[in-house]
Amino acid sequence: MIVARTLLFITIFVVAPPATAQRIHDLPLRPEHIHWGYYDARVAPVLRIASGDAVRVETMVARGVERMRMAGARADEIPAALLAVERAVTERGPGAHPLTGPIHVEGAEPGDMLEVRIEEIGWLHPYGVGAFSPGGGTLPDAFPYAGLKLFRFDGDGTTAFAPGIRLTLAPFFGSIGVAPPPLSGRVSSGPPGYHVGNLDNKELGVGSTLYLPVHVEGALLSIGDGHALQGDGEVSGTAIETSLTGRIRVILHKSRRLLWPRAETATHYITMGLDPDLDEAARIAVREMIAYLVEERGLTREDAYILCSVVVDLRVTQTVDGTKGIHAMLPKSIFR
């Protein structure tokens, strides 16, 4: 299992860890811990934590066991926990992602913000699946059939793609989200949105932090869609899909209203835009970065706009989830 230590960095918002004793909870992969294919404020929490607590969490590969079998995984390679979830969790959809949770964060209320620190990530099984499906991906007309590829992970954190091609793995959770407002009902785990969810942002690896808005009491945080490696865009419709284990730390910020998700890594501040139109997603990401520079760095709107143009990189998060993503990357190195 690959495990990385958490990195320390200055956060987008000035924060201090809670003074109360912090606990580490376990949320293993079990049928009673999984809701499959949706975010919904009506799903009862499976764990309650306090702000500052950490959770060791296990997640199940998107679309479950069958796609791994079809790609060539042997029966004796599939963990019993995945088989148990596959058999027991029959209420699914409309999305394809088994999600672990929800986690109730004590004191969280609408209008608050969650800080989710990604402290460790490892494998539940040492392989994953890349695929495309008819009608999916960025080029649906060019590939009106299905394709599957099994990737076996080596102990050095790489995988062989083809003779002469070796890939370095970079795991992250593709979907981290909270319950949407109750009036939204059941929301598919496929498109990301105000509840965040299926961002498929490859920057959210070990040492990163994701900031989420809170829409319901307790926030009801869920996590899933393990990726072993993904390019910006996720153009075929999948990353290397796998099952992950990890440790997250959750910190509640009262009365810190957030509309769109933000994030940071050891090297960058990140704002994100989500919209079915990629141009509009880019506009949202830029507006959010301007807002950050004005509110947190004291720039004028005009200077912030110019700074975005000369140092901020816009990257295509993904183009395949219905609601598309653009994330804006601001290097921390410019701040002295």
Side-chain angles (χ1 to χ4, degrees), residues 258-273:
L258 196 65
L259 181 60
W260 297 104
R262 294 182 182 180
E264 65 178 294
T265 68
T267 58
H268 287 80
Y269 299 117
I270 305 171
T271 59
M272 301 182 220

PDB file of all heavy atoms in Angstrom, residues 258-273:
ATOM      1  N   LEU A 258     -19.413  29.963   1.141  1.00  0.00           N
ATOM      2  CA  LEU A 258     -18.663  29.662  -0.076  1.00  0.00           C
ATOM      3  C   LEU A 258     -19.657  29.198  -1.123  1.00  0.00           C
ATOM      4  O   LEU A 258     -20.510  28.340  -0.841  1.00  0.00           O
ATOM      5  CB  LEU A 258     -17.637  28.562   0.225  1.00  0.00           C
ATOM      6  CG  LEU A 258     -16.494  28.328  -0.756  1.00  0.00           C
ATOM      7  CD1 LEU A 258     -15.581  29.542  -0.816  1.00  0.00           C
ATOM      8  CD2 LEU A 258     -15.702  27.097  -0.317  1.00  0.00           C
ATOM      9  N   LEU A 259     -19.579  29.762  -2.324  1.00  0.00           N
ATOM     10  CA  LEU A 259     -20.496  29.352  -3.392  1.00  0.00           C
ATOM     11  C   LEU A 259     -19.916  28.197  -4.183  1.00  0.00           C
ATOM     12  O   LEU A 259     -20.570  27.168  -4.380  1.00  0.00           O
ATOM     13  CB  LEU A 259     -20.794  30.538  -4.318  1.00  0.00           C
ATOM     14  CG  LEU A 259     -21.760  30.261  -5.474  1.00  0.00           C
ATOM     15  CD1 LEU A 259     -23.123  29.817  -4.945  1.00  0.00           C
ATOM     16  CD2 LEU A 259     -21.901  31.495  -6.359  1.00  0.00           C
ATOM     17  N   TRP A 260     -18.676  28.354  -4.646  1.00  0.00           N
ATOM     18  CA  TRP A 260     -18.008  27.326  -5.436  1.00  0.00           C
ATOM     19  C   TRP A 260     -16.838  26.747  -4.647  1.00  0.00           C
ATOM     20  O   TRP A 260     -16.295  27.418  -3.770  1.00  0.00           O
ATOM     21  CB  TRP A 260     -17.499  27.912  -6.755  1.00  0.00           C
ATOM     22  CG  TRP A 260     -18.582  28.411  -7.643  1.00  0.00           C
ATOM     23  CD1 TRP A 260     -18.946  29.707  -7.866  1.00  0.00           C
ATOM     24  CD2 TRP A 260     -19.484  27.611  -8.426  1.00  0.00           C
ATOM     25  NE1 TRP A 260     -19.998  29.773  -8.735  1.00  0.00           N
ATOM     26  CE2 TRP A 260     -20.351  28.500  -9.104  1.00  0.00           C
ATOM     27  CE3 TRP A 260     -19.639  26.242  -8.622  1.00  0.00           C
ATOM     28  CZ2 TRP A 260     -21.355  28.071  -9.951  1.00  0.00           C
ATOM     29  CZ3 TRP A 260     -20.635  25.793  -9.474  1.00  0.00           C
ATOM     30  CH2 TRP A 260     -21.478  26.696 -10.134  1.00  0.00           C
ATOM     31  N   PRO A 261     -16.432  25.525  -4.940  1.00  0.00           N
ATOM     32  CA  PRO A 261     -15.304  24.947  -4.204  1.00  0.00           C
ATOM     33  C   PRO A 261     -14.002  25.684  -4.489  1.00  0.00           C
ATOM     34  O   PRO A 261     -13.792  26.229  -5.571  1.00  0.00           O
ATOM     35  CB  PRO A 261     -15.246  23.511  -4.742  1.00  0.00           C
ATOM     36  CG  PRO A 261     -15.862  23.593  -6.104  1.00  0.00           C
ATOM     37  CD  PRO A 261     -16.954  24.620  -5.976  1.00  0.00           C
ATOM     38  N   ARG A 262     -13.140  25.689  -3.494  1.00  0.00           N
ATOM     39  CA  ARG A 262     -11.774  26.155  -3.642  1.00  0.00           C
ATOM     40  C   ARG A 262     -10.850  25.067  -3.106  1.00  0.00           C
ATOM     41  O   ARG A 262     -11.282  24.156  -2.410  1.00  0.00           O
ATOM     42  CB  ARG A 262     -11.543  27.475  -2.900  1.00  0.00           C
ATOM     43  CG  ARG A 262     -12.313  28.649  -3.474  1.00  0.00           C
ATOM     44  CD  ARG A 262     -12.001  29.938  -2.741  1.00  0.00           C
ATOM     45  NE  ARG A 262     -12.782  31.053  -3.282  1.00  0.00           N
ATOM     46  CZ  ARG A 262     -12.704  32.309  -2.829  1.00  0.00           C
ATOM     47  NH1 ARG A 262     -11.864  32.597  -1.831  1.00  0.00           N
ATOM     48  NH2 ARG A 262     -13.442  33.265  -3.361  1.00  0.00           N
ATOM     49  N   ALA A 263      -9.578  25.189  -3.438  1.00  0.00           N
ATOM     50  CA  ALA A 263      -8.622  24.177  -2.979  1.00  0.00           C
ATOM     51  C   ALA A 263      -7.247  24.799  -2.919  1.00  0.00           C
ATOM     52  O   ALA A 263      -7.029  25.938  -3.365  1.00  0.00           O
ATOM     53  CB  ALA A 263      -8.623  22.973  -3.923  1.00  0.00           C
ATOM     54  N   GLU A 264      -6.321  24.058  -2.340  1.00  0.00           N
ATOM     55  CA  GLU A 264      -4.923  24.458  -2.412  1.00  0.00           C
ATOM     56  C   GLU A 264      -4.035  23.240  -2.266  1.00  0.00           C
ATOM     57  O   GLU A 264      -4.418  22.206  -1.727  1.00  0.00           O
ATOM     58  CB  GLU A 264      -4.580  25.509  -1.361  1.00  0.00           C
ATOM     59  CG  GLU A 264      -4.681  25.071   0.065  1.00  0.00           C
ATOM     60  CD  GLU A 264      -4.264  26.186   1.016  1.00  0.00           C
ATOM     61  OE1 GLU A 264      -3.066  26.550   0.996  1.00  0.00           O
ATOM     62  OE2 GLU A 264      -5.125  26.680   1.753  1.00  0.00           O
ATOM     63  N   THR A 265      -2.840  23.389  -2.811  1.00  0.00           N
ATOM     64  CA  THR A 265      -1.785  22.394  -2.680  1.00  0.00           C
ATOM     65  C   THR A 265      -0.585  23.073  -2.031  1.00  0.00           C
ATOM     66  O   THR A 265      -0.653  24.241  -1.651  1.00  0.00           O
ATOM     67  CB  THR A 265      -1.391  21.829  -4.052  1.00  0.00           C
ATOM     68  OG1 THR A 265      -0.739  22.864  -4.816  1.00  0.00           O
ATOM     69  CG2 THR A 265      -2.607  21.314  -4.819  1.00  0.00           C
ATOM     70  N   ALA A 266       0.505  22.356  -1.940  1.00  0.00           N
ATOM     71  CA  ALA A 266       1.711  22.966  -1.378  1.00  0.00           C
ATOM     72  C   ALA A 266       2.221  24.113  -2.243  1.00  0.00           C
ATOM     73  O   ALA A 266       2.933  24.990  -1.760  1.00  0.00           O
ATOM     74  CB  ALA A 266       2.804  21.909  -1.230  1.00  0.00           C
ATOM     75  N   THR A 267       1.839  24.138  -3.519  1.00  0.00           N
ATOM     76  CA  THR A 267       2.409  25.121  -4.448  1.00  0.00           C
ATOM     77  C   THR A 267       1.398  26.101  -5.030  1.00  0.00           C
ATOM     78  O   THR A 267       1.803  27.122  -5.584  1.00  0.00           O
ATOM     79  CB  THR A 267       3.096  24.402  -5.627  1.00  0.00           C
ATOM     80  OG1 THR A 267       2.133  23.556  -6.290  1.00  0.00           O
ATOM     81  CG2 THR A 267       4.258  23.557  -5.130  1.00  0.00           C
ATOM     82  N   HIS A 268       0.093  25.802  -4.932  1.00  0.00           N
ATOM     83  CA  HIS A 268      -0.891  26.628  -5.632  1.00  0.00           C
ATOM     84  C   HIS A 268      -2.158  26.850  -4.793  1.00  0.00           C
ATOM     85  O   HIS A 268      -2.565  25.980  -4.024  1.00  0.00           O
ATOM     86  CB  HIS A 268      -1.315  25.974  -6.953  1.00  0.00           C
ATOM     87  CG  HIS A 268      -0.287  26.036  -8.025  1.00  0.00           C
ATOM     88  ND1 HIS A 268       0.774  25.166  -8.076  1.00  0.00           N
ATOM     89  CD2 HIS A 268      -0.150  26.876  -9.094  1.00  0.00           C
ATOM     90  CE1 HIS A 268       1.523  25.448  -9.141  1.00  0.00           C
ATOM     91  NE2 HIS A 268       0.995  26.488  -9.767  1.00  0.00           N
ATOM     92  N   TYR A 269      -2.776  28.016  -5.006  1.00  0.00           N
ATOM     93  CA  TYR A 269      -4.164  28.260  -4.631  1.00  0.00           C
ATOM     94  C   TYR A 269      -5.018  27.950  -5.869  1.00  0.00           C
ATOM     95  O   TYR A 269      -4.625  28.277  -6.998  1.00  0.00           O
ATOM     96  CB  TYR A 269      -4.375  29.707  -4.215  1.00  0.00           C
ATOM     97  CG  TYR A 269      -3.562  30.135  -3.014  1.00  0.00           C
ATOM     98  CD1 TYR A 269      -2.597  31.134  -3.132  1.00  0.00           C
ATOM     99  CD2 TYR A 269      -3.765  29.555  -1.770  1.00  0.00           C
ATOM    100  CE1 TYR A 269      -1.851  31.536  -2.030  1.00  0.00           C
ATOM    101  CE2 TYR A 269      -3.026  29.938  -0.669  1.00  0.00           C
ATOM    102  CZ  TYR A 269      -2.067  30.926  -0.799  1.00  0.00           C
ATOM    103  OH  TYR A 269      -1.328  31.324   0.286  1.00  0.00           O
ATOM    104  N   ILE A 270      -6.200  27.371  -5.650  1.00  0.00           N
ATOM    105  CA  ILE A 270      -7.015  26.890  -6.766  1.00  0.00           C
ATOM    106  C   ILE A 270      -8.451  27.357  -6.589  1.00  0.00           C
ATOM    107  O   ILE A 270      -9.038  27.169  -5.514  1.00  0.00           O
ATOM    108  CB  ILE A 270      -6.986  25.351  -6.856  1.00  0.00           C
ATOM    109  CG1 ILE A 270      -5.544  24.851  -6.940  1.00  0.00           C
ATOM    110  CG2 ILE A 270      -7.791  24.867  -8.054  1.00  0.00           C
ATOM    111  CD1 ILE A 270      -5.431  23.332  -6.823  1.00  0.00           C
ATOM    112  N   THR A 271      -9.009  27.960  -7.624  1.00  0.00           N
ATOM    113  CA  THR A 271     -10.443  28.207  -7.678  1.00  0.00           C
ATOM    114  C   THR A 271     -11.023  27.393  -8.824  1.00  0.00           C
ATOM    115  O   THR A 271     -10.319  27.019  -9.766  1.00  0.00           O
ATOM    116  CB  THR A 271     -10.770  29.698  -7.874  1.00  0.00           C
ATOM    117  OG1 THR A 271     -10.161  30.165  -9.103  1.00  0.00           O
ATOM    118  CG2 THR A 271     -10.264  30.524  -6.704  1.00  0.00           C
ATOM    119  N   MET A 272     -12.313  27.119  -8.744  1.00  0.00           N
ATOM    120  CA  MET A 272     -12.923  26.200  -9.706  1.00  0.00           C
ATOM    121  C   MET A 272     -14.226  26.761 -10.252  1.00  0.00           C
ATOM    122  O   MET A 272     -14.980  27.438  -9.550  1.00  0.00           O
ATOM    123  CB  MET A 272     -13.188  24.848  -9.048  1.00  0.00           C
ATOM    124  CG  MET A 272     -11.932  24.196  -8.496  1.00  0.00           C
ATOM    125  SD  MET A 272     -12.244  22.576  -7.772  1.00  0.00           S
ATOM    126  CE  MET A 272     -11.164  22.666  -6.336  1.00  0.00           C
ATOM    127  N   GLY A 273     -14.471  26.447 -11.516  1.00  0.00           N
ATOM    128  CA  GLY A 273     -15.721  26.778 -12.163  1.00  0.00           C
ATOM    129  C   GLY A 273     -16.370  25.541 -12.722  1.00  0.00           C
ATOM    130  O   GLY A 273     -15.694  24.692 -13.311  1.00  0.00           O
TER     131      GLY A 273
END
